[in-house]
Amino acid sequence: MKFCSYLKENIALILAMICVIIAKLLLTDTCFFWDSVSLISVPANFLYETNFSSLFYPPEINLTLATLPQVYTAVVWSLFGRSLFVTHLAYLPFALMFVYQVYLLCKRFFSKQFLIFSFLFILFNATIAVQILLLTPDLFLLAFSVWCLNSLFAKKNVQIMCSLFLLATVSDRGMILSGILILYHFVLSISQGNFSWKATKTVFWIYLPTIFFVFFVLCIQKILSGYFLLNTNETSPWYEHWQIVGFYDFFRNIAVEIFRYVENGQGVIFLLFLFVLISS
């Protein structure tokens, strides 16, 4: 009886997970492309072919230290064979984890009247759907960051510590995002009237594993590659994107970004989502 009640109450979550599983199975022949080639495929192949002889990459790979998605992918290949089918199945648990965490987040912020709409809006947004269905490192960022948010709201310290640490091991963007979530935790505590230096000292241990890991990685990057956080080496394929632009180009980039959102319908959907959020 309780199981049937759970199914009825969470039917949107169950159907969404089924849809994601089916979509993943239909896309198992989709290869790595764009950033995924340089951020996952190439480094994971290096780890796999060298039998994990080193977690540090040669200069031609334009990366310094192996990240969680790269190591995870290479380990899966070592155990089950190097194929797209195996890789897609290996990424499926993280896609389902993201779906579940988004559902929990929506339940926290939206009334039952708008729960299904908000959940499906976030989940099947084209930008997010691509990240969770294809082979991208952003899937790990999405899964761990939303897990961390839910843990912050639920005040589950062990889960906060684990999610923050895993987020930092994904990539440089993961380290930046983990820092933002730590700052958000302080803001959240202040807004709820729970902030005090005594309480801060008590929960500081939650952040220690992440802080030590980030400090270690940044030191390794500086020693081995000569850059700090952002890869400013001219040989990096992202070198031109790290350059400081002028006043005109700065606002031009903002205008282009807004135009892209409006062009593919994201602007209208965002306004509708904002209306639902306020109405809840």
PDB file of all heavy atoms in Angstrom, residues 32-66:
ATOM      1  N   PHE A  32      31.932  11.070 -28.392  1.00  0.00           N
ATOM      2  CA  PHE A  32      32.435  12.284 -27.759  1.00  0.00           C
ATOM      3  C   PHE A  32      32.589  13.360 -28.835  1.00  0.00           C
ATOM      4  O   PHE A  32      33.008  13.065 -29.957  1.00  0.00           O
ATOM      5  CB  PHE A  32      33.802  12.036 -27.120  1.00  0.00           C
ATOM      6  CG  PHE A  32      33.771  11.137 -25.924  1.00  0.00           C
ATOM      7  CD1 PHE A  32      34.084   9.791 -26.050  1.00  0.00           C
ATOM      8  CD2 PHE A  32      33.465  11.633 -24.665  1.00  0.00           C
ATOM      9  CE1 PHE A  32      34.071   8.957 -24.940  1.00  0.00           C
ATOM     10  CE2 PHE A  32      33.454  10.800 -23.552  1.00  0.00           C
ATOM     11  CZ  PHE A  32      33.755   9.462 -23.697  1.00  0.00           C
ATOM     12  N   PHE A  33      32.277  14.597 -28.487  1.00  0.00           N
ATOM     13  CA  PHE A  33      32.506  15.682 -29.435  1.00  0.00           C
ATOM     14  C   PHE A  33      32.698  16.994 -28.689  1.00  0.00           C
ATOM     15  O   PHE A  33      32.408  17.099 -27.504  1.00  0.00           O
ATOM     16  CB  PHE A  33      31.350  15.800 -30.440  1.00  0.00           C
ATOM     17  CG  PHE A  33      30.078  16.360 -29.862  1.00  0.00           C
ATOM     18  CD1 PHE A  33      29.741  17.693 -30.006  1.00  0.00           C
ATOM     19  CD2 PHE A  33      29.203  15.529 -29.169  1.00  0.00           C
ATOM     20  CE1 PHE A  33      28.569  18.206 -29.471  1.00  0.00           C
ATOM     21  CE2 PHE A  33      28.018  16.037 -28.638  1.00  0.00           C
ATOM     22  CZ  PHE A  33      27.706  17.382 -28.794  1.00  0.00           C
ATOM     23  N   TRP A  34      33.218  17.976 -29.387  1.00  0.00           N
ATOM     24  CA  TRP A  34      33.485  19.309 -28.861  1.00  0.00           C
ATOM     25  C   TRP A  34      34.401  19.222 -27.642  1.00  0.00           C
ATOM     26  O   TRP A  34      35.401  18.524 -27.668  1.00  0.00           O
ATOM     27  CB  TRP A  34      32.174  20.032 -28.555  1.00  0.00           C
ATOM     28  CG  TRP A  34      32.273  21.541 -28.654  1.00  0.00           C
ATOM     29  CD1 TRP A  34      32.204  22.451 -27.638  1.00  0.00           C
ATOM     30  CD2 TRP A  34      32.453  22.301 -29.854  1.00  0.00           C
ATOM     31  NE1 TRP A  34      32.327  23.724 -28.118  1.00  0.00           N
ATOM     32  CE2 TRP A  34      32.485  23.670 -29.472  1.00  0.00           C
ATOM     33  CE3 TRP A  34      32.601  21.965 -31.199  1.00  0.00           C
ATOM     34  CZ2 TRP A  34      32.670  24.696 -30.397  1.00  0.00           C
ATOM     35  CZ3 TRP A  34      32.769  22.980 -32.124  1.00  0.00           C
ATOM     36  CH2 TRP A  34      32.806  24.323 -31.711  1.00  0.00           C
ATOM     37  N   ASP A  35      34.045  19.898 -26.544  1.00  0.00           N
ATOM     38  CA  ASP A  35      34.924  19.902 -25.367  1.00  0.00           C
ATOM     39  C   ASP A  35      35.106  18.516 -24.757  1.00  0.00           C
ATOM     40  O   ASP A  35      36.115  18.255 -24.092  1.00  0.00           O
ATOM     41  CB  ASP A  35      34.376  20.845 -24.294  1.00  0.00           C
ATOM     42  CG  ASP A  35      34.647  22.312 -24.630  1.00  0.00           C
ATOM     43  OD1 ASP A  35      35.349  22.551 -25.619  1.00  0.00           O
ATOM     44  OD2 ASP A  35      34.140  23.194 -23.917  1.00  0.00           O
ATOM     45  N   SER A  36      34.130  17.640 -24.977  1.00  0.00           N
ATOM     46  CA  SER A  36      34.212  16.306 -24.379  1.00  0.00           C
ATOM     47  C   SER A  36      35.397  15.510 -24.909  1.00  0.00           C
ATOM     48  O   SER A  36      35.918  14.629 -24.231  1.00  0.00           O
ATOM     49  CB  SER A  36      32.915  15.535 -24.642  1.00  0.00           C
ATOM     50  OG  SER A  36      31.828  16.181 -24.030  1.00  0.00           O
ATOM     51  N   VAL A  37      35.824  15.831 -26.117  1.00  0.00           N
ATOM     52  CA  VAL A  37      36.976  15.126 -26.699  1.00  0.00           C
ATOM     53  C   VAL A  37      38.237  15.454 -25.911  1.00  0.00           C
ATOM     54  O   VAL A  37      38.996  14.565 -25.508  1.00  0.00           O
ATOM     55  CB  VAL A  37      37.156  15.506 -28.183  1.00  0.00           C
ATOM     56  CG1 VAL A  37      38.440  14.885 -28.737  1.00  0.00           C
ATOM     57  CG2 VAL A  37      35.956  15.065 -28.994  1.00  0.00           C
ATOM     58  N   SER A  38      38.468  16.755 -25.675  1.00  0.00           N
ATOM     59  CA  SER A  38      39.687  17.178 -24.989  1.00  0.00           C
ATOM     60  C   SER A  38      39.601  17.049 -23.473  1.00  0.00           C
ATOM     61  O   SER A  38      40.632  16.927 -22.806  1.00  0.00           O
ATOM     62  CB  SER A  38      40.022  18.629 -25.360  1.00  0.00           C
ATOM     63  OG  SER A  38      38.921  19.484 -25.107  1.00  0.00           O
ATOM     64  N   LEU A  39      38.374  17.066 -22.925  1.00  0.00           N
ATOM     65  CA  LEU A  39      38.227  17.027 -21.473  1.00  0.00           C
ATOM     66  C   LEU A  39      37.977  15.628 -20.912  1.00  0.00           C
ATOM     67  O   LEU A  39      38.175  15.403 -19.719  1.00  0.00           O
ATOM     68  CB  LEU A  39      37.089  17.959 -21.034  1.00  0.00           C
ATOM     69  CG  LEU A  39      37.317  19.454 -21.271  1.00  0.00           C
ATOM     70  CD1 LEU A  39      36.104  20.259 -20.846  1.00  0.00           C
ATOM     71  CD2 LEU A  39      38.557  19.940 -20.524  1.00  0.00           C
ATOM     72  N   ILE A  40      37.524  14.694 -21.765  1.00  0.00           N
ATOM     73  CA  ILE A  40      37.272  13.332 -21.277  1.00  0.00           C
ATOM     74  C   ILE A  40      37.953  12.289 -22.163  1.00  0.00           C
ATOM     75  O   ILE A  40      38.768  11.492 -21.686  1.00  0.00           O
ATOM     76  CB  ILE A  40      35.765  13.022 -21.191  1.00  0.00           C
ATOM     77  CG1 ILE A  40      35.079  13.886 -20.134  1.00  0.00           C
ATOM     78  CG2 ILE A  40      35.555  11.551 -20.828  1.00  0.00           C
ATOM     79  CD1 ILE A  40      33.611  13.577 -19.925  1.00  0.00           C
ATOM     80  N   SER A  41      37.632  12.283 -23.441  1.00  0.00           N
ATOM     81  CA  SER A  41      38.077  11.194 -24.322  1.00  0.00           C
ATOM     82  C   SER A  41      39.591  11.068 -24.402  1.00  0.00           C
ATOM     83  O   SER A  41      40.154   9.994 -24.163  1.00  0.00           O
ATOM     84  CB  SER A  41      37.490  11.398 -25.718  1.00  0.00           C
ATOM     85  OG  SER A  41      37.916  10.367 -26.581  1.00  0.00           O
ATOM     86  N   VAL A  42      40.272  12.160 -24.754  1.00  0.00           N
ATOM     87  CA  VAL A  42      41.732  12.114 -24.921  1.00  0.00           C
ATOM     88  C   VAL A  42      42.437  11.761 -23.611  1.00  0.00           C
ATOM     89  O   VAL A  42      43.259  10.827 -23.575  1.00  0.00           O
ATOM     90  CB  VAL A  42      42.255  13.441 -25.492  1.00  0.00           C
ATOM     91  CG1 VAL A  42      43.783  13.472 -25.467  1.00  0.00           C
ATOM     92  CG2 VAL A  42      41.753  13.640 -26.918  1.00  0.00           C
ATOM     93  N   PRO A  43      42.167  12.466 -22.507  1.00  0.00           N
ATOM     94  CA  PRO A  43      42.844  12.105 -21.250  1.00  0.00           C
ATOM     95  C   PRO A  43      42.467  10.712 -20.734  1.00  0.00           C
ATOM     96  O   PRO A  43      43.318   9.997 -20.193  1.00  0.00           O
ATOM     97  CB  PRO A  43      42.416  13.194 -20.269  1.00  0.00           C
ATOM     98  CG  PRO A  43      41.214  13.819 -20.867  1.00  0.00           C
ATOM     99  CD  PRO A  43      41.361  13.699 -22.331  1.00  0.00           C
ATOM    100  N   ALA A  44      41.200  10.306 -20.901  1.00  0.00           N
ATOM    101  CA  ALA A  44      40.788   8.973 -20.449  1.00  0.00           C
ATOM    102  C   ALA A  44      41.492   7.895 -21.269  1.00  0.00           C
ATOM    103  O   ALA A  44      41.882   6.850 -20.728  1.00  0.00           O
ATOM    104  CB  ALA A  44      39.280   8.820 -20.553  1.00  0.00           C
ATOM    105  N   ASN A  45      41.650   8.116 -22.555  1.00  0.00           N
ATOM    106  CA  ASN A  45      42.383   7.173 -23.396  1.00  0.00           C
ATOM    107  C   ASN A  45      43.847   7.085 -22.980  1.00  0.00           C
ATOM    108  O   ASN A  45      44.437   5.998 -23.005  1.00  0.00           O
ATOM    109  CB  ASN A  45      42.287   7.583 -24.861  1.00  0.00           C
ATOM    110  CG  ASN A  45      41.051   7.015 -25.546  1.00  0.00           C
ATOM    111  OD1 ASN A  45      40.991   5.836 -25.863  1.00  0.00           O
ATOM    112  ND2 ASN A  45      40.058   7.862 -25.757  1.00  0.00           N
ATOM    113  N   PHE A  46      44.431   8.216 -22.589  1.00  0.00           N
ATOM    114  CA  PHE A  46      45.814   8.207 -22.101  1.00  0.00           C
ATOM    115  C   PHE A  46      45.941   7.348 -20.847  1.00  0.00           C
ATOM    116  O   PHE A  46      46.855   6.512 -20.730  1.00  0.00           O
ATOM    117  CB  PHE A  46      46.271   9.634 -21.812  1.00  0.00           C
ATOM    118  CG  PHE A  46      47.603   9.723 -21.110  1.00  0.00           C
ATOM    119  CD1 PHE A  46      48.783   9.624 -21.821  1.00  0.00           C
ATOM    120  CD2 PHE A  46      47.662   9.883 -19.724  1.00  0.00           C
ATOM    121  CE1 PHE A  46      50.013   9.692 -21.168  1.00  0.00           C
ATOM    122  CE2 PHE A  46      48.881   9.950 -19.065  1.00  0.00           C
ATOM    123  CZ  PHE A  46      50.061   9.850 -19.791  1.00  0.00           C
ATOM    124  N   LEU A  47      45.028   7.528 -19.899  1.00  0.00           N
ATOM    125  CA  LEU A  47      45.055   6.744 -18.664  1.00  0.00           C
ATOM    126  C   LEU A  47      44.853   5.259 -18.962  1.00  0.00           C
ATOM    127  O   LEU A  47      45.531   4.398 -18.381  1.00  0.00           O
ATOM    128  CB  LEU A  47      43.966   7.235 -17.703  1.00  0.00           C
ATOM    129  CG  LEU A  47      44.102   8.668 -17.167  1.00  0.00           C
ATOM    130  CD1 LEU A  47      42.867   9.053 -16.371  1.00  0.00           C
ATOM    131  CD2 LEU A  47      45.349   8.803 -16.313  1.00  0.00           C
ATOM    132  N   TYR A  48      43.920   4.973 -19.848  1.00  0.00           N
ATOM    133  CA  TYR A  48      43.603   3.587 -20.196  1.00  0.00           C
ATOM    134  C   TYR A  48      44.773   2.903 -20.893  1.00  0.00           C
ATOM    135  O   TYR A  48      45.146   1.769 -20.548  1.00  0.00           O
ATOM    136  CB  TYR A  48      42.364   3.582 -21.094  1.00  0.00           C
ATOM    137  CG  TYR A  48      41.997   2.226 -21.657  1.00  0.00           C
ATOM    138  CD1 TYR A  48      41.318   1.288 -20.872  1.00  0.00           C
ATOM    139  CD2 TYR A  48      42.315   1.890 -22.969  1.00  0.00           C
ATOM    140  CE1 TYR A  48      40.969   0.051 -21.392  1.00  0.00           C
ATOM    141  CE2 TYR A  48      41.971   0.652 -23.494  1.00  0.00           C
ATOM    142  CZ  TYR A  48      41.296  -0.264 -22.702  1.00  0.00           C
ATOM    143  OH  TYR A  48      40.958  -1.498 -23.224  1.00  0.00           O
ATOM    144  N   GLU A  49      45.373   3.582 -21.863  1.00  0.00           N
ATOM    145  CA  GLU A  49      46.447   2.978 -22.655  1.00  0.00           C
ATOM    146  C   GLU A  49      47.759   2.873 -21.896  1.00  0.00           C
ATOM    147  O   GLU A  49      48.582   2.014 -22.197  1.00  0.00           O
ATOM    148  CB  GLU A  49      46.641   3.793 -23.939  1.00  0.00           C
ATOM    149  CG  GLU A  49      45.457   3.682 -24.898  1.00  0.00           C
ATOM    150  CD  GLU A  49      45.544   4.658 -26.050  1.00  0.00           C
ATOM    151  OE1 GLU A  49      46.499   5.476 -26.070  1.00  0.00           O
ATOM    152  OE2 GLU A  49      44.646   4.629 -26.926  1.00  0.00           O
ATOM    153  N   THR A  50      47.966   3.736 -20.896  1.00  0.00           N
ATOM    154  CA  THR A  50      49.186   3.670 -20.080  1.00  0.00           C
ATOM    155  C   THR A  50      48.969   2.884 -18.795  1.00  0.00           C
ATOM    156  O   THR A  50      49.862   2.828 -17.943  1.00  0.00           O
ATOM    157  CB  THR A  50      49.670   5.088 -19.730  1.00  0.00           C
ATOM    158  OG1 THR A  50      48.638   5.777 -18.998  1.00  0.00           O
ATOM    159  CG2 THR A  50      50.016   5.867 -20.986  1.00  0.00           C
ATOM    160  N   ASN A  51      47.763   2.294 -18.664  1.00  0.00           N
ATOM    161  CA  ASN A  51      47.428   1.480 -17.491  1.00  0.00           C
ATOM    162  C   ASN A  51      47.611   2.268 -16.194  1.00  0.00           C
ATOM    163  O   ASN A  51      48.109   1.751 -15.205  1.00  0.00           O
ATOM    164  CB  ASN A  51      48.290   0.203 -17.458  1.00  0.00           C
ATOM    165  CG  ASN A  51      47.703  -0.857 -16.544  1.00  0.00           C
ATOM    166  OD1 ASN A  51      46.489  -0.893 -16.314  1.00  0.00           O
ATOM    167  ND2 ASN A  51      48.557  -1.704 -15.996  1.00  0.00           N
ATOM    168  N   PHE A  52      47.180   3.530 -16.212  1.00  0.00           N
ATOM    169  CA  PHE A  52      47.214   4.405 -15.032  1.00  0.00           C
ATOM    170  C   PHE A  52      48.617   4.542 -14.444  1.00  0.00           C
ATOM    171  O   PHE A  52      48.784   4.636 -13.236  1.00  0.00           O
ATOM    172  CB  PHE A  52      46.252   3.900 -13.958  1.00  0.00           C
ATOM    173  CG  PHE A  52      44.823   3.802 -14.395  1.00  0.00           C
ATOM    174  CD1 PHE A  52      44.317   2.621 -14.935  1.00  0.00           C
ATOM    175  CD2 PHE A  52      43.984   4.892 -14.296  1.00  0.00           C
ATOM    176  CE1 PHE A  52      42.999   2.527 -15.359  1.00  0.00           C
ATOM    177  CE2 PHE A  52      42.662   4.811 -14.709  1.00  0.00           C
ATOM    178  CZ  PHE A  52      42.169   3.633 -15.242  1.00  0.00           C
ATOM    179  N   SER A  53      49.608   4.538 -15.331  1.00  0.00           N
ATOM    180  CA  SER A  53      50.988   4.672 -14.851  1.00  0.00           C
ATOM    181  C   SER A  53      51.247   6.049 -14.251  1.00  0.00           C
ATOM    182  O   SER A  53      52.156   6.225 -13.435  1.00  0.00           O
ATOM    183  CB  SER A  53      51.968   4.421 -15.999  1.00  0.00           C
ATOM    184  OG  SER A  53      51.752   5.345 -17.052  1.00  0.00           O
ATOM    185  N   SER A  54      50.452   7.026 -14.655  1.00  0.00           N
ATOM    186  CA  SER A  54      50.598   8.371 -14.098  1.00  0.00           C
ATOM    187  C   SER A  54      49.267   9.111 -14.198  1.00  0.00           C
ATOM    188  O   SER A  54      48.534   8.960 -15.182  1.00  0.00           O
ATOM    189  CB  SER A  54      51.675   9.159 -14.852  1.00  0.00           C
ATOM    190  OG  SER A  54      51.724  10.508 -14.391  1.00  0.00           O
ATOM    191  N   LEU A  55      48.963   9.885 -13.163  1.00  0.00           N
ATOM    192  CA  LEU A  55      47.766  10.725 -13.184  1.00  0.00           C
ATOM    193  C   LEU A  55      48.080  12.135 -13.674  1.00  0.00           C
ATOM    194  O   LEU A  55      47.212  13.003 -13.703  1.00  0.00           O
ATOM    195  CB  LEU A  55      47.134  10.793 -11.796  1.00  0.00           C
ATOM    196  CG  LEU A  55      46.561   9.477 -11.247  1.00  0.00           C
ATOM    197  CD1 LEU A  55      45.991   9.694  -9.847  1.00  0.00           C
ATOM    198  CD2 LEU A  55      45.474   8.924 -12.162  1.00  0.00           C
ATOM    199  N   PHE A  56      49.336  12.347 -14.074  1.00  0.00           N
ATOM    200  CA  PHE A  56      49.766  13.622 -14.630  1.00  0.00           C
ATOM    201  C   PHE A  56      49.920  13.471 -16.138  1.00  0.00           C
ATOM    202  O   PHE A  56      50.503  12.493 -16.617  1.00  0.00           O
ATOM    203  CB  PHE A  56      51.082  14.085 -14.001  1.00  0.00           C
ATOM    204  CG  PHE A  56      50.998  14.266 -12.507  1.00  0.00           C
ATOM    205  CD1 PHE A  56      51.469  13.284 -11.648  1.00  0.00           C
ATOM    206  CD2 PHE A  56      50.438  15.410 -11.960  1.00  0.00           C
ATOM    207  CE1 PHE A  56      51.394  13.437 -10.275  1.00  0.00           C
ATOM    208  CE2 PHE A  56      50.352  15.577 -10.592  1.00  0.00           C
ATOM    209  CZ  PHE A  56      50.822  14.587  -9.749  1.00  0.00           C
ATOM    210  N   TYR A  57      49.424  14.453 -16.869  1.00  0.00           N
ATOM    211  CA  TYR A  57      49.389  14.347 -18.324  1.00  0.00           C
ATOM    212  C   TYR A  57      50.596  15.003 -18.978  1.00  0.00           C
ATOM    213  O   TYR A  57      51.149  15.973 -18.445  1.00  0.00           O
ATOM    214  CB  TYR A  57      48.111  14.999 -18.865  1.00  0.00           C
ATOM    215  CG  TYR A  57      46.850  14.319 -18.426  1.00  0.00           C
ATOM    216  CD1 TYR A  57      45.870  15.016 -17.712  1.00  0.00           C
ATOM    217  CD2 TYR A  57      46.611  12.981 -18.715  1.00  0.00           C
ATOM    218  CE1 TYR A  57      44.698  14.396 -17.304  1.00  0.00           C
ATOM    219  CE2 TYR A  57      45.440  12.362 -18.306  1.00  0.00           C
ATOM    220  CZ  TYR A  57      44.494  13.074 -17.606  1.00  0.00           C
ATOM    221  OH  TYR A  57      43.336  12.452 -17.198  1.00  0.00           O
ATOM    222  N   PRO A  58      50.991  14.500 -20.137  1.00  0.00           N
ATOM    223  CA  PRO A  58      52.065  15.151 -20.902  1.00  0.00           C
ATOM    224  C   PRO A  58      51.588  16.488 -21.455  1.00  0.00           C
ATOM    225  O   PRO A  58      50.378  16.718 -21.579  1.00  0.00           O
ATOM    226  CB  PRO A  58      52.351  14.148 -22.023  1.00  0.00           C
ATOM    227  CG  PRO A  58      51.090  13.354 -22.169  1.00  0.00           C
ATOM    228  CD  PRO A  58      50.506  13.266 -20.796  1.00  0.00           C
ATOM    229  N   PRO A  59      52.502  17.378 -21.829  1.00  0.00           N
ATOM    230  CA  PRO A  59      52.122  18.733 -22.274  1.00  0.00           C
ATOM    231  C   PRO A  59      51.160  18.769 -23.450  1.00  0.00           C
ATOM    232  O   PRO A  59      50.321  19.672 -23.534  1.00  0.00           O
ATOM    233  CB  PRO A  59      53.475  19.359 -22.654  1.00  0.00           C
ATOM    234  CG  PRO A  59      54.486  18.595 -21.861  1.00  0.00           C
ATOM    235  CD  PRO A  59      53.959  17.200 -21.769  1.00  0.00           C
ATOM    236  N   GLU A  60      51.254  17.793 -24.367  1.00  0.00           N
ATOM    237  CA  GLU A  60      50.417  17.833 -25.566  1.00  0.00           C
ATOM    238  C   GLU A  60      48.923  17.666 -25.277  1.00  0.00           C
ATOM    239  O   GLU A  60      48.070  17.983 -26.113  1.00  0.00           O
ATOM    240  CB  GLU A  60      50.862  16.775 -26.580  1.00  0.00           C
ATOM    241  CG  GLU A  60      50.852  15.353 -26.069  1.00  0.00           C
ATOM    242  CD  GLU A  60      52.193  14.933 -25.476  1.00  0.00           C
ATOM    243  OE1 GLU A  60      52.988  15.829 -25.106  1.00  0.00           O
ATOM    244  OE2 GLU A  60      52.436  13.713 -25.393  1.00  0.00           O
ATOM    245  N   ILE A  61      48.572  17.161 -24.104  1.00  0.00           N
ATOM    246  CA  ILE A  61      47.161  16.985 -23.763  1.00  0.00           C
ATOM    247  C   ILE A  61      46.546  18.286 -23.230  1.00  0.00           C
ATOM    248  O   ILE A  61      45.333  18.440 -23.179  1.00  0.00           O
ATOM    249  CB  ILE A  61      46.989  15.836 -22.746  1.00  0.00           C
ATOM    250  CG1 ILE A  61      47.361  14.504 -23.423  1.00  0.00           C
ATOM    251  CG2 ILE A  61      45.574  15.751 -22.195  1.00  0.00           C
ATOM    252  CD1 ILE A  61      47.137  13.288 -22.574  1.00  0.00           C
ATOM    253  N   ASN A  62      47.395  19.248 -22.854  1.00  0.00           N
ATOM    254  CA  ASN A  62      46.942  20.557 -22.375  1.00  0.00           C
ATOM    255  C   ASN A  62      46.150  20.473 -21.074  1.00  0.00           C
ATOM    256  O   ASN A  62      45.293  21.315 -20.798  1.00  0.00           O
ATOM    257  CB  ASN A  62      46.104  21.279 -23.441  1.00  0.00           C
ATOM    258  CG  ASN A  62      46.936  21.779 -24.601  1.00  0.00           C
ATOM    259  OD1 ASN A  62      47.901  22.514 -24.400  1.00  0.00           O
ATOM    260  ND2 ASN A  62      46.604  21.340 -25.801  1.00  0.00           N
ATOM    261  N   LEU A  63      46.393  19.445 -20.305  1.00  0.00           N
ATOM    262  CA  LEU A  63      45.823  19.309 -18.972  1.00  0.00           C
ATOM    263  C   LEU A  63      46.943  18.901 -18.030  1.00  0.00           C
ATOM    264  O   LEU A  63      47.971  18.377 -18.474  1.00  0.00           O
ATOM    265  CB  LEU A  63      44.703  18.271 -18.955  1.00  0.00           C
ATOM    266  CG  LEU A  63      43.458  18.570 -19.797  1.00  0.00           C
ATOM    267  CD1 LEU A  63      42.566  17.336 -19.870  1.00  0.00           C
ATOM    268  CD2 LEU A  63      42.678  19.744 -19.217  1.00  0.00           C
ATOM    269  N   THR A  64      46.748  19.116 -16.748  1.00  0.00           N
ATOM    270  CA  THR A  64      47.815  18.798 -15.787  1.00  0.00           C
ATOM    271  C   THR A  64      47.531  17.514 -15.025  1.00  0.00           C
ATOM    272  O   THR A  64      48.289  16.555 -15.100  1.00  0.00           O
ATOM    273  CB  THR A  64      47.999  19.957 -14.783  1.00  0.00           C
ATOM    274  OG1 THR A  64      48.237  21.166 -15.490  1.00  0.00           O
ATOM    275  CG2 THR A  64      49.178  19.669 -13.859  1.00  0.00           C
ATOM    276  N   LEU A  65      46.421  17.491 -14.289  1.00  0.00           N
ATOM    277  CA  LEU A  65      46.103  16.388 -13.386  1.00  0.00           C
ATOM    278  C   LEU A  65      44.784  15.746 -13.784  1.00  0.00           C
ATOM    279  O   LEU A  65      43.847  16.425 -14.199  1.00  0.00           O
ATOM    280  CB  LEU A  65      46.022  16.914 -11.949  1.00  0.00           C
ATOM    281  CG  LEU A  65      45.790  15.909 -10.823  1.00  0.00           C
ATOM    282  CD1 LEU A  65      46.967  14.968 -10.695  1.00  0.00           C
ATOM    283  CD2 LEU A  65      45.562  16.656  -9.502  1.00  0.00           C
ATOM    284  N   ALA A  66      44.713  14.418 -13.666  1.00  0.00           N
ATOM    285  CA  ALA A  66      43.499  13.681 -14.015  1.00  0.00           C
ATOM    286  C   ALA A  66      42.342  14.102 -13.109  1.00  0.00           C
ATOM    287  O   ALA A  66      42.520  14.301 -11.909  1.00  0.00           O
ATOM    288  CB  ALA A  66      43.742  12.182 -13.888  1.00  0.00           C
TER     289      ALA A  66
END
